[in-house]
């Protein structure tokens, strides 16, 4: 239904004159729909809220004010809803990329078990949905020029639209793919077989395929392919396949001597072949010739040498041949055989990434590469260097009473401030690794560092001598104790009260032996600290306890599992604990903390909101739910949130959220029921 609606809107836009007064409105709605299609597929009942949050992005909102105002009046008169104060951009479209079809301008990604979606490369627009009975698949292949997806189960069974006969491949190293008018793959009898579109066996191309080291690389039109079979020098087979006009397939063995081939690529017309070898050579062959017409040594490249080549792509469409290649260490290079030129283009993934390369090809008729890993897709102009740079993950955030938000990115040693929807200031400090942060108002922040605390603001960056060194381990929480005092909580379990401006320090709890503190929060205005962490010896139990200013602590819960997050709600004086199996709420009764409510859930983090709400950021899905602590943790609202949360903080009815992709969001609770549900 949603896809049909988007297509109807696109047809309406195409039929409208540019000067039509309604054209801009329809364009905005169409763009919002395509940006949040996944959310609308999962929970269509939240469609108005989801579209509004897309339209509220700063670069869109001024052009959509009438739409936003009308929709928000309707939402405010109804039940509770979550408004993204500065909009929500869809930033997770590159997650779980399983295949790329450059000729169609499409990439394919796993949306959830049993579902694969097609998205446009240029706009990220979700344009199609494929559903499969096979949930646990080990391979996904896409037809390069027409609509078609096939998945291979762990036992080698193939599922694809249009199959009337089962295709049963061997369970591994089956080099399966769309080819010509059908499919090619290694069956359970170790034969390389061409199947027609219905799944019927058409012909055997090669018997006795090796049990390991088999893979296939197609030309852009899937009319030719090269198959690498085996991983032993001298015994490896390099096979070139061609689709014949009568619907058949021709197979020819390419002689490469004792060289062990690690990657291969074919030109568009399949008359040229490039092979990469284990001894780090690139060899260019022409059809009909046994010897290579050109060779290059990638280990002798300028700068840092390349490692073994794992993928390569050949283009013959430009004035001179060009070979792009990727090595096993993340390097991306270019070889021009006619010039005997070898260039390092950059990296196809960041050094901290562990993503495997999933696709490398030339864009049709261009000097541009398409490079994909499971979490990234980029077009690389070979005339320009490529850098694997992305916004660093936000590890900590804090929102003050006046709306000032501060956030910290530990890996990049970076801090930033957000106010009225705009980044006020960002800076990176080489000697300051932020482990925690507290926004105290007016932009002022206190940052917990490697053993100390430092206080500053967006108008004054800390100097080399700023800060108090008070611990020997990282400060995992800095909590505003009163107007001038901060409670600093160390990873060792040690807690001290600090007044940074006065350089005043008062210990209130000593280190805990064999303990690793995970986090801490305040118990309202009672001047008590709720701590949680895990023992590092013995039974390795996890524990939540409440610590007062005299150093006395009360255990809330002691468990064997991992405590993912903890938050406190003043209404009901409840401590909410997120474990592997769900959320348990504790209240103090008869002098002890006892479970009060429980609800099963797989969640990343949680945060107490307003009087009696709990924001629960669900794992493996792009939704945050609001649960009511007055209604046994029942869901009272939800919002589409296409980010991976890494930290949260709340103040009143506002929720601050930092993400793994470096995006920052501020959400506000709205609606007729307010935040007292």
């Amino acid at each position: 239904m949603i896809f049909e609606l988007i297509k109807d809107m696109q047809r309406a836009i195409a039929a409208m004159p540019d000067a039509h007064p309604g054209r801009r409105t329809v364009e905005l709605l169409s763009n919002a729909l395509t940006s949040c299609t996944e959310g609308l597929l999962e929970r269509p009942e939240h469609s108005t809220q989801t579209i509004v949050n897309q339209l509220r992005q700063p670069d869109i909102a001024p052009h959509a004010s009438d739409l936003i105002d009308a929709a928000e009046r309707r939402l405010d008169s109804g039940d509770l809803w979550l408004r993204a104060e500065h909009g929500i951009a869809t930033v997770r479209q590159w997650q779980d990329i399983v295949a790329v079809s450059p000729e169609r301008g499409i990439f394919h990604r796993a949306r959830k078990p049993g579902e694969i979606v097609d998205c446009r490369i240029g706009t990220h627009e979700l344009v199609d949905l494929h559903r499969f009975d096979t949930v646990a698949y080990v391979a996904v292949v896409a037809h390069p020029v027409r609509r078609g997806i096939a998945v291979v189960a762990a036992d080698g069974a193939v599922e694809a639209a249009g199959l009337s006969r089962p295709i049963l491949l061997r369970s591994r190293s089956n080099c399966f793919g769309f080819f010509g008018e059908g499919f090619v793959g290694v069956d359970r009898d170790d034969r390389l077989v061409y199947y027609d579109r219905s799944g019927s066996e058409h012909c055997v191309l090669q018997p006795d395929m090796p049990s390991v080291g088999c893979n296939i690389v197609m030309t852009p039109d899937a009319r030719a392919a090269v198959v690498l079979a085996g991983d032993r020098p001298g015994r490896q087979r390099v096979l070139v396949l061609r689709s014949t006009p009568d619907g058949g397939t021709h197979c020819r063995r390419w002689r490469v001597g004792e060289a062990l081939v690690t990657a291969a690529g074919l030109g568009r017309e399949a008359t040229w072949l490039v092979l990469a070898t284990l001894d780090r050579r690139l060899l260019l062959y022409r059809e009909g010739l046994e010897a290579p017409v050109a060779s290059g040594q990638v280990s002798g490249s300028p700068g840092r040498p390349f490692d073994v080549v794992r993928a390569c792509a050949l283009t013959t469409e430009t004035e001179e041949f060009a070979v792009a290649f990727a090595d096993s260490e993340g390097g991306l290079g270019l070889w021009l055989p006619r010039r005997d030129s070898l260039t390092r283009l950059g990296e196809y993934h960041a050094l901290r990434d562990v993503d495997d390369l999933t696709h490398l090809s030339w864009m049709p008729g261009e000097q541009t590469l398409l490079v994909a890993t499971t979490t990234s897709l980029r077009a690389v102009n070979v005339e320009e260097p490529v850098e694997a740079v992305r916004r660093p993950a936000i590890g900590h955030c804090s929102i003050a009473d006046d709306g000032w938000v501060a956030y910290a990115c530990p890996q990049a040693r970076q801090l930033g401030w957000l106010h009225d929807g705009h980044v006020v200031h960002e800076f990176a400090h080489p000697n300051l690794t932020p482990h925690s942060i507290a926004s105290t108002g007016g932009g002022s922040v206190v940052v917990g560092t490697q053993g100390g605390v430092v206080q500053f603001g967006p108008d004054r960056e800390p100097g080399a001598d700023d800060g108090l060194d008070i611990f020997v381990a990282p400060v995992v929480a800095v909590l505003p104790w009163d107007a001038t005092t901060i409670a600093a909580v160390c990873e060792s379990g040690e807690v001290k009260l600090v007044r940074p401006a006065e350089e005043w320090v008062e210990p209130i709890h000593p280190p805990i032996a064999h303990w690793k503190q995970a986090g801490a929060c305040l118990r309202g205005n009672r001047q008590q600290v709720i701590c949680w962490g895990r023992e590092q010896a013995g039974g390795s139990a996890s524990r939540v306890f409440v610590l007062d200013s005299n150093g006395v602590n009360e255990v809330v819960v002691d468990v064997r599992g991992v405590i993912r997050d903890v938050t406190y709600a003043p209404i009901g004086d409840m401590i909410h604990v997120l474990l592997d199996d769900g959320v348990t709420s504790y209240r103090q009764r008869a002098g002890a903390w006892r479970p009060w409510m429980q609800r099963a859930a797989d969640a990343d983090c949680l945060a107490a909101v307003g009087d009696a709400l709990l924001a629960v950021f669900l794992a493996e899905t792009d939704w945050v739910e609001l649960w009511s602590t007055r209604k046994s943790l029942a869901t009272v609202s939800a919002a589409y949130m296409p980010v991976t949360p890494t930290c949260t903080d709340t103040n009143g009815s506002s929720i601050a959220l930092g993400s793994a992709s470096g995006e920052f969001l501020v959400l506000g609770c709205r609606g007729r029921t307010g935040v007292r549900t």
Side-chain angles (χ1 to χ4, degrees), residues 235-300:
R235 301 182 64 182
Q236 184 185 51
R237 278 174 269 176
V238 178
L239 309 174
V240 177
L241 312 182
R242 286 180 178 276
S243 179
T244 58
D246 60 359
T249 299
H250 176 263
C251 177
R252 176 198 169 192
R253 184 169 179 177
W254 204 291
R255 306 289 178 181
V256 293
E258 294 297 317
L260 182 64
V261 179
T262 59
L266 277 171
R268 183 173 290 269
E269 302 301 326
T271 56
W272 292 88
L273 171 70
V274 62
L275 301 176
T277 61
L278 187 63
D279 57 1
R280 291 189 277 185
R281 289 184 298 153
L282 291 170
L283 306 173
L284 180 66
Y285 292 87
R286 182 170 184 172
E287 185 179 31
L289 299 178
E290 292 293 330
V293 297
S295 65
Q297 188 74 38
V298 300
S299 59

Side-chain angles (χ1 to χ4, degrees), residues 409-483:
C409 308
Q411 286 187 342
R413 299 185 177 185
Q414 180 177 303
L415 294 106
W417 288 261
L418 192 76
H419 189 55
D420 290 335
H422 303 286
V423 174
V424 176
H425 186 56
E426 277 187 340
F427 77 92
H429 196 295
N431 300 319
L432 190 155
T433 301
H435 291 277
S436 53
I437 194 168
S439 179
T440 55
S444 179
V445 298
V446 177
V447 176
T449 64
Q450 182 69 34
V453 295
V454 58
Q455 187 171 26
F456 53 95
D459 56 345
R460 185 184 68 84
E461 297 181 8
D465 299 327
D466 287 350
L468 289 174
D469 292 326
I470 55 177
F471 298 116
V472 295
V475 179
V476 298
V478 281
L479 309 169
W481 190 259
D482 57 34

Side-chain angles (χ1 to χ4, degrees), residues 208-233:
D208 302 322
M209 291 289 284
S211 59
V212 294
C214 295
N215 61 78
I216 187 168
V217 178
M218 303 285 183
T219 54
D221 61 0
R223 308 298 298 183
V226 57
V227 175
L228 302 182
D231 60 356
R232 294 184 181 181

Side-chain angles (χ1 to χ4, degrees), residues 661-673:
S661 56
E663 303 294 323
F664 202 90
L665 300 174
V666 178
L667 309 175
C669 295
R670 298 278 294 263
R672 190 170 53 199
T673 55

Side-chain angles (χ1 to χ4, degrees), residues 289-481:
L289 299 178
E290 292 293 330
V293 297
S295 65
Q297 188 74 38
V298 300
S299 59
S301 60
R304 181 161 61 94
F306 285 101
D307 201 65
V308 176
V309 173
R310 294 302 182 191
C312 55
L314 169 66
T315 179
T316 57
E317 296 183 73
T318 54
E319 293 183 2
E320 60 179 330
F321 296 173
V323 177
F325 60 92
D327 72 5
S328 58
E329 293 186 343
L332 192 64
L334 178 70
W335 178 46
L336 302 177
R338 290 181 175 172
R339 295 189 200 174
D340 193 22
S341 167
L342 197 67
T343 307
R344 176 177 284 273
L345 295 176
E347 315 298 318
Y348 64 79
H349 63 56
L351 293 178
R352 294 189 184 95
D353 286 355
V354 294
D355 295 333
D356 289 331
L357 186 76
T358 58
H359 183 86
L360 178 67
S361 70
W362 291 92
M363 295 287 282
E366 299 182 21
Q367 280 282 75
T368 302
L369 284 170
L370 201 59
V371 187
T373 68
T374 55
T375 60
S376 68
L377 178 66
R378 68 184 71 190
V380 178
N381 188 321
V382 297
E383 301 297 329
E384 300 174 2
V386 56
E387 297 180 0
V389 177
R390 62 178 65 178
R391 283 189 62 85
I394 297 174
H396 315 286
C397 65
S398 178
I399 182 169
D401 292 340
D402 58 2
W404 274 84
V405 176
Y407 56 89
C409 308
Q411 286 187 342
R413 299 185 177 185
Q414 180 177 303
L415 294 106
W417 288 261
L418 192 76
H419 189 55
D420 290 335
H422 303 286
V423 174
V424 176
H425 186 56
E426 277 187 340
F427 77 92
H429 196 295
N431 300 319
L432 190 155
T433 301
H435 291 277
S436 53
I437 194 168
S439 179
T440 55
S444 179
V445 298
V446 177
V447 176
T449 64
Q450 182 69 34
V453 295
V454 58
Q455 187 171 26
F456 53 95
D459 56 345
R460 185 184 68 84
E461 297 181 8
D465 299 327
D466 287 350
L468 289 174
D469 292 326
I470 55 177
F471 298 116
V472 295
V475 179
V476 298
V478 281
L479 309 169
W481 190 259

